[in-house]
Amino acid sequence: MAHLRFRYVFSLGVVAASLACQTSPAKEAVPTHGIDVAGMDRTVAPGDDFNAYANGGWLKATAIPAEKATIGAFDLLADRVRQQTSDLIQGLAQTANAGGDAQKIGDFYTTYMDEAAIEAKGIAPLTPKLEAIAAITTKPALARAIGETLRADVDPLNATNFQTEHLFGVFVSQGLNDPSRNYPYLLQGGLGLPDRDYYLSPSPQMNELRTKYKALVKTLFELAKVSDAAARAARVFALETKMAHAHATRLESQDVHTPLTWSRTELAAKAPGLDWSALLDGASLGSAQTFVVWHPKATTGLAALVSSEPLDAWKDWLTFHAINESGAMLPKAFVDARFEFYGKALTGAEAMRPRWKRGVDLTSAALGDAVGKAYVAKYFPPETKAKVEAMVRNLVQAFNARIDALTWMTPDTKVKAKAKVATLKVGVGYPDTWRDYSSLNIVKGDAFGNIDRADLFEYKHQLAKLSAPPDKGEWWMTPQTVNAVNLPLQNALNFPAAILQPPFFDAQASAAYNYGSMGAVIGHEISHSFDDQGSQFDADGRLANWWTPDDFAHFKAAGEALAKQYDAYKPFPDLALNGHQVLSENIADVAGLAAAFDAYRASLKGAAAPEFQGFTGDQQFFISFGQSWRTKYREPALRQQIATDGHAPDEYRADTVRNLDAWYTAFSIPAGQKLALSEKERVKVW
Ligand SMILES: [Zn+2]
């Protein structure tokens, strides 16, 4: 896939930035086993505003719950999954001395839920970390301490995540140019705000957020009883602003041709100022010899700052992030302060989610596979797996047929494209093998230590891959995640169990309905293998150009046209979409929807599609697609998505339909309506 960013379906940026501050309740839609006709607005012409036509009734009737930054099909299903997961976890929590994973899940959750015990401990669990930072007296010791904070908390290629408040993020996968073995990838980091733009943009919104962020830094210092809170906060912010100047932009981060492979010697030579040996030792990477440096310029810039900025500023920075990243496991005052900023200010959420929801999410993240194994056993019937696997086969076939039918592509390139489809490894529901948690120590009564050990356990698991061959069957999402993902280095897809339920997949609904929603999701993920970035990886997951120059030029031109289409969307008078930042996702949307439509038609085997409440099969297909993108955003959340995310806001994703000829026929769209494109203007990438 093209750039490696958001290869998944749903934007996670806003959610990920506020793990401790998500929200959730919401009314459950009454299942209709088909499109939601009451949720439409049939006074709107589909050709003028397809999102309003498909979702207008729902948009009018739905308020964003106080604890949420967005509400939509995705959030509602995520709520249901959280409830399912909660039932499961609470069941395990009540089984005393269950042993094994069940015991760990139960202990992790109940320990987090014991707010009184967390309150009673105060900042005591944090103290050893802060004392260790205070004792640093030299730059090599600083480098080692920075190294000790590194974790496997970024992912430039799969479930794309470029944010870490550690100075660098680590990702472990096969080499960009070498599928034979795994490498440690190093990514830029160090910021407490979501992106460099938040430090550097002159816009009034960003300025206000900066003021509030500085206040948060000061407040957390005060709560942790660190002296000179105001002065330290100013130093932290000044240092992070310098880091932001060194950082690559969001768009630059997506360029798979920027990363360089550096040896240890090259790291020291090309990024001087930082004692790399000390840092890598601290990061348990002492024996690694070669690194994929994702952001070479930023790595050089950040290393130089370690040398040029005073030791005390760095110690303040380490101290603040030690407090900030542990916030969820500290007393209420810390949690509240962080919610004021990361929840309210950054996403617009008005109220914190109830503690049990946060507890379920934290448990589900810390013990992902253990919870996933139990989730699948309880909520994912083998029949669903079989049905979805059949849909995947049909989508793959449809995509292959589309490659065959391309008039602009040379036979040579077609052979290579089809080889890539043929070797695609598709995972449905859950991984073939489960993670072993026996060496993870979950201690009853130690909430702070539990999450620390879980993060370290995950990091060690990733580092252990450095001495093992790459595994094409590795999963990058847990089964209880409502999402799906394309893995360009593995040439593989994951469709977690949690998304394979209504409204995305409903075994009792029509083919038109299921192909319009889940089929389009499957098509989207397959298409990521052929988006502007995915198309640059070959069947082995190697970054290699398998295109003829003419074919690639044609493909690029189609992408440019699509980028322009999205550049024209302007959610706010002062803010338009960046068509190139969201291009990979939009190529995947257009190509995936086209393949899903073909697969849906093929599934009818020539029979007429059944009508549903007066809508033809083709109409149901497109309405189902539009309804899977129904979402309401709070303004800060929408602005954050536009600034930091590879996905266009959902209403524009619903408008993908305007590029398909079949949509014009299904709704008799006349020329001149707002979304209507001439045949020439419709972008057909695949
Ligand atoms: Zn995607």
Side-chain angles (χ1 to χ4, degrees), residues 5-10 483-486 524-525 528 531 584-586 588-589 647 653:
R5 31 188 230 100
F6 297 93
R7 327 240 44 107
Y8 47 94
V9 194
F10 298 103
N483 218 321
V485 65
N486 181 307
H524 173 100
E525 294 307 336
H528 267 314
D531 68 26
S584 297
E585 290 304 326
N586 294 326
D589 277 349
H647 299 84
R653 299 186 69 181

Side-chain angles (χ1 to χ4, degrees), residues 284-339:
S284 305
L285 280 164
S287 56
Q289 295 305 318
T290 324
F291 303 83
V292 177
V293 179
W294 196 266
H295 300 103
K297 259 173 71 183
T299 302
T300 303
L302 294 172
L305 287 174
V306 176
S307 159
S308 67
E309 300 309 300
L311 183 64
D312 282 345
W314 280 103
K315 287 168 68 175
D316 292 336
W317 172 84
L318 269 177
T319 304
F320 166 67
H321 288 287
I323 304 165
N324 194 39
E325 71 174 350
S326 306
M329 296 302 186
L330 290 168
K332 187 170 180 300
F334 289 83
V335 176
D336 288 347
R338 293 189 73 254
F339 174 74

Side-chain angles (χ1 to χ4, degrees), residues 132-348:
I133 296 167
I136 296 171
T137 53
T138 65
K139 287 284 172 85
L142 169 71
R144 188 179 173 88
I146 289 174
E148 284 168 357
T149 63
L150 302 199
R151 291 293 178 269
D153 54 2
V154 290
D155 177 348
L157 285 166
N158 302 316
T160 313
N161 168 25
F162 291 113
Q163 283 169 241
T164 171
E165 57 184 308
H166 305 135
L167 191 60
F168 299 101
V170 178
F171 170 75
V172 179
S173 197
Q174 69 180 50
L176 274 177
N177 305 297
D178 177 10
S180 73
R181 65 182 188 89
N182 287 320
Y183 288 74
Y185 287 55
L186 293 177
L187 277 72
Q188 68 185 16
L191 307 181
L193 286 168
D195 184 79
R196 76 193 293 278
D197 271 11
Y198 283 74
Y199 295 84
L200 308 178
S201 160
S203 88
Q205 286 91 356
M206 292 297 197
N207 201 32
E208 194 188 324
L209 286 171
R210 285 192 283 272
T211 304
K212 290 180 175 171
Y213 177 61
K214 283 184 252 187
L216 169 73
V217 180
K218 176 167 166 277
T219 302
L220 291 189
F221 275 136
E222 285 165 355
L223 290 171
K225 302 196 168 57
V226 177
S227 63
D228 300 324
R232 288 182 203 265
R235 282 202 292 264
V236 169
F237 187 78
L239 178 55
E240 289 189 8
T241 303
K242 287 181 181 168
M243 291 182 193
H245 278 287
H247 266 218
T249 65
R250 184 62 180 73
L251 190 59
E252 288 164 347
S253 289
Q254 294 174 196
D255 186 347
V256 293
H257 296 290
T258 306
L260 296 172
T261 304
W262 285 354
S263 65
R264 294 177 72 96
T265 324
E266 285 172 309
L267 262 180
K270 295 178 182 202
L274 172 57
D275 186 333
W276 282 99
S277 283
L279 181 136
L280 294 172
D281 275 347
S284 305
L285 280 164
S287 56
Q289 295 305 318
T290 324
F291 303 83
V292 177
V293 179
W294 196 266
H295 300 103
K297 259 173 71 183
T299 302
T300 303
L302 294 172
L305 287 174
V306 176
S307 159
S308 67
E309 300 309 300
L311 183 64
D312 282 345
W314 280 103
K315 287 168 68 175
D316 292 336
W317 172 84
L318 269 177
T319 304
F320 166 67
H321 288 287
I323 304 165
N324 194 39
E325 71 174 350
S326 306
M329 296 302 186
L330 290 168
K332 187 170 180 300
F334 289 83
V335 176
D336 288 347
R338 293 189 73 254
F339 174 74
E340 279 300 312
F341 183 72
Y342 287 107
K344 269 192 190 168
L346 270 187
T347 77

Side-chain angles (χ1 to χ4, degrees), residues 35 42 53 510-513 597 600-601 604 608-624 662-663 665-668:
I35 56 170
R42 294 163 79 176
Y53 170 76
S510 67
Y513 177 86
F597 186 79
Y600 147 65
R601 279 293 191 79
L604 299 173
E611 284 199 358
F612 181 88
Q613 300 191 22
F615 292 95
T616 67
D618 289 4
Q619 289 173 337
Q620 291 168 57
F621 172 89
F622 287 111
I623 294 167
S624 172
W663 175 71
T665 316
F667 295 95
S668 308

